[in-house]
Amino acid sequence: MLDNNEFTKETFNDIEYILKRETLEMALDAASAKKIQKSFLMPDYDEYGMGYIDRTAIFNPIKLSSEFRKKNPVFDRMVIVDGIIEGTWKRTAKAKSVVVETYLFRELSKVKSEAVKKAVNRFVKFTGTSE
C-alpha cells in the first residue's frame, strides 16, 4: 500500500510509475532541474538502469547493432545522454591514467557528443588521473 503523503503515481507513455513526491517536486522546480545531471557515465548495476523491469522510458528505441543484440547492454556501464541510454563504456586503468572508451548505439549530434565528452572528463577527473 502506498503512503500517499510520501509517494505519488505518474503516467508517462501510458505506463504508470510510482515515485517519491519530493523527487517529482524537485524535477518540476526550475532551479532544482538545472542541478539535475542529465548526461553521465553510469556504473554497471546502477539503480537508474536497474530500478525498473520496463526500461523503455530511459532506453532509446533504436535498432541495436548485432554487437549489442548479443548481450544485454543494461547490465553494462551505460552512457546516459539527456536521461536516455545511448551506449556503453569501459575504463582501463594504466600506470598514471585512466582511459575511457565509449561504445555508442548510434552517431550522436554535436551537442550530445559534447555532453559525452564532458561526462568522460568528469569521470577521469573523479579518478584523480588523466586520460
Side-chain angles (χ1 to χ4, degrees), residues 2 24 50 57 66 71 103 112 127:
L2 288 177
L24 180 61
M50 303 302 295
S66 60
K71 58 182 184 167
Y103 307 96
K112 289 184 177 189
T127 65

Side-chain angles (χ1 to χ4, degrees), residues 59-60 62-69 71 73 105:
F59 207 91
N60 197 335
I62 57 150
K63 291 184 178 180
L64 297 178
S65 69
S66 60
E67 172 191 352
F68 289 109
R69 266 190 236 123
K71 58 182 184 167
F105 298 149

Side-chain angles (χ1 to χ4, degrees), residues 15-46:
I15 299 171
E16 189 173 80
Y17 294 91
I18 299 171
L19 57 148
K20 291 186 102 173
R21 284 187 189 280
E22 67 183 282
T23 303
L24 180 61
E25 290 166 3
M26 185 173 84
L28 295 176
D29 176 48
S32 296
K34 289 180 183 176
K35 296 177 186 176
I36 295 173
Q37 195 173 339
K38 296 177 185 172
S39 300
F40 53 92
L41 299 182
M42 185 169 67
D44 47 355
Y45 297 101
D46 187 87

Side-chain angles (χ1 to χ4, degrees), residues 103-117:
Y103 307 96
L104 302 174
F105 298 149
R106 63 188 176 116
E107 188 173 334
L108 299 179
S109 69
K110 186 175 180 180
V111 171
K112 289 184 177 189
S113 293
E114 190 60 34
V116 172
K117 287 179 189 175

Side-chain angles (χ1 to χ4, degrees), residues 83-130:
I84 302 295
I85 301 168
E86 291 284 5
T88 62
W89 66 280
K90 78 173 197 175
R91 59 130 176 89
T92 305
K94 299 205 174 187
K96 294 183 181 182
S97 66
V98 169
V99 175
V100 175
E101 297 173 85
T102 58
Y103 307 96
L104 302 174
F105 298 149
R106 63 188 176 116
E107 188 173 334
L108 299 179
S109 69
K110 186 175 180 180
V111 171
K112 289 184 177 189
S113 293
E114 190 60 34
V116 172
K117 287 179 189 175
K118 287 179 181 179
V120 168
N121 290 338
R122 279 193 307 270
F123 178 80
V124 171
K125 185 177 179 183
F126 170 77
T127 65
T129 61
S130 62

